Amino acid sequence: MAHLAGSQEWLDGQVRLRGWQAELRAHALPAPPVRYGDWTGESVCRIGQRMVASGLPSSIFVASDLMALGFLRALHENGVRVPEDISVVGFDDNEFAPQVYPPLTTVRQSFATVGARCMEILLGRIEGRDVDNTPAVPELVVRASATSPRTA
């Protein structure tokens, strides 16, 4: 497994990386090296080309759907089959995620819910009220780009 992280200059990139690392720890899995893109499909396509040449993991979590598209392109250009050879999961559930081939498995985050929670927390703090700081829970949208883990 691997992670293609977004820019660490962005809070989104930092939080998604920390979340991935926390899940690995929670399941007693080793953390492989992380590769970093700049949120563009082009940057991740180049990274994907290098990964194909050096050996691919069985699965990869990509920090955004746009970045995942660049990775899918690199795989396609090199004859790598998704999900038969590698499972790919993105983040955002952009409108194009179900339209690409194979349709992209992704993490959906309701921006309306996130925005409402932010406002609730902000107003609660301004008004001096105790407010639940629990973040909104994202949803995994399973499509054809990912499959069950392979056994050795």
Side-chain angles (χ1 to χ4, degrees):
M1 88 191 79
H3 179 44
L4 281 171
S7 170
Q8 296 302 287
E9 294 177 13
W10 292 45
L11 180 60
D12 291 350
Q14 296 168 22
V15 171
R16 292 172 193 181
L17 174 58
R18 285 195 310 258
W20 178 73
Q21 292 168 329
E23 284 302 308
L24 290 175
R25 282 191 303 277
H27 293 89
L29 296 170
V34 176
R35 292 167 181 86
Y36 299 90
D38 64 8
W39 296 113
T40 66
E42 183 178 321
S43 73
V44 175
C45 185
R46 288 190 303 270
I47 293 168
Q49 297 285 353
R50 290 191 299 269
M51 288 178 72
V52 168
S54 65
L56 289 170
S58 62
S59 61
I60 191 156
F61 168 55
V62 187
S64 78
D65 289 350
L66 180 59
M67 291 171 61
L69 286 181
F71 190 72
L72 288 171
R73 176 181 169 195
L75 297 175
H76 175 75
E77 290 176 352
N78 287 280
V80 178
R81 301 168 305 155
V82 176
E84 295 85 358
D85 300 326
I86 183 173
S87 289
V88 179
V89 177
F91 195 104
D92 289 326
D93 197 25
N94 283 325
E95 64 185 65
F96 53 77
Q99 308 306 321
V100 299
Y101 186 81
L104 184 62
T105 296
T106 187
V107 177
R108 177 185 299 146
Q109 173 175 253
S110 167
F111 291 110
T113 301
V114 170
R117 292 285 300 129
C118 288
M119 288 305 297
E120 181 181 324
I121 293 167
L122 177 62
L123 292 173
R125 293 223 172 126
I126 289 171
E127 296 167 358
R129 291 184 284 115
D130 285 331
V131 180
D132 178 11
N133 288 330
T134 305
V137 177
E139 170 190 1
L140 179 64
V141 180
V142 178
R143 296 192 180 105
S145 69
T147 190
S148 300
R150 293 164 220 12
T151 56

